[in-house]
Amino acid sequence: MRVLLIALPMLLGGLGLAIGAGVYRWHVSSEAARLRADGVPVTAYVSDRAGGHGRGSGIDRIEVSYLYESRSYSTWIPCAGGTGCHRTPGPTMDVWVDPAAPDRFVAANGHTNGSMSFLMNWTIPPVGLAFAALGVVLLVLVVRTRDEQWR
């Protein structure tokens, strides 16, 4: 019974994590495409850079700040692709802002305000699938053990 209480959450949690990461990536990608087409172009200022200076230093990221309708917005986004920045970006960057929700944007480098989520990490789906697989193995062991007890 205890194994079952471990196996089911591992299976369901692992599947939830893997599927959730995929759905979130799809959402961020479609949001970026929508904002490139319908967003309002604004110039953002690159105000800071952090991470990416060695193993374990975190995601190579930049802080972008912009004004939209007299309000200031600021957030961190990944600097570049999976390999990080090969050079520090210039002092400004184009972003396309959602007029209905000005805190949502897509930057010229393709990243959105949601790109720093842990669900965007490429290791999350395989980790989720590994947990789900371990849950399945434990469930199979529980079923086989119960079958042997009934014989």
Side-chain angles (χ1 to χ4, degrees):
M1 183 66 171
R2 282 186 245 170
V3 175
L4 189 61
L5 292 175
I6 294 170
L8 283 176
M10 287 183 79
L11 172 62
L12 297 175
L15 284 176
L17 195 58
I19 292 169
V23 168
Y24 186 75
R25 281 185 168 281
W26 173 81
H27 168 73
V28 168
S29 176
S30 63
E31 182 77 358
R34 182 187 69 81
L35 289 172
R36 278 189 204 96
D38 300 334
V40 176
V42 174
T43 300
Y45 298 91
V46 178
S47 53
D48 200 1
R49 179 178 175 188
H53 300 295
R55 188 176 181 106
S57 63
I59 296 172
D60 196 3
R61 60 196 180 278
I62 53 175
E63 184 177 24
V64 293
S65 305
Y66 58 94
L67 286 172
Y68 183 76
E69 293 186 345
S70 304
R71 284 201 60 202
S72 178
Y73 299 90
S74 180
T75 193
W76 290 88
I77 62 171
C79 185
T83 59
C85 290
H86 297 291
R87 61 180 173 78
T88 301
T92 62
M93 172 183 286
D94 291 332
V95 297
W96 290 265
V97 176
D98 185 344
D103 58 329
R104 295 182 185 164
F105 68 92
V106 63
N109 67 1
H111 292 289
T112 70
N113 55 290
S115 293
M116 288 296 293
S117 170
F118 81 97
L119 290 172
M120 292 296 286
N121 189 322
W122 281 105
T123 61
I124 296 299
V127 167
L129 291 175
F131 270 102
L134 189 55
V136 167
V137 168
L138 290 174
L139 282 175
V140 168
L141 289 174
V142 167
V143 168
R144 283 193 177 177
T145 303
R146 287 196 177 177
D147 282 350
E148 289 175 6
Q149 288 176 351
W150 286 101
R151 289 182 188 178

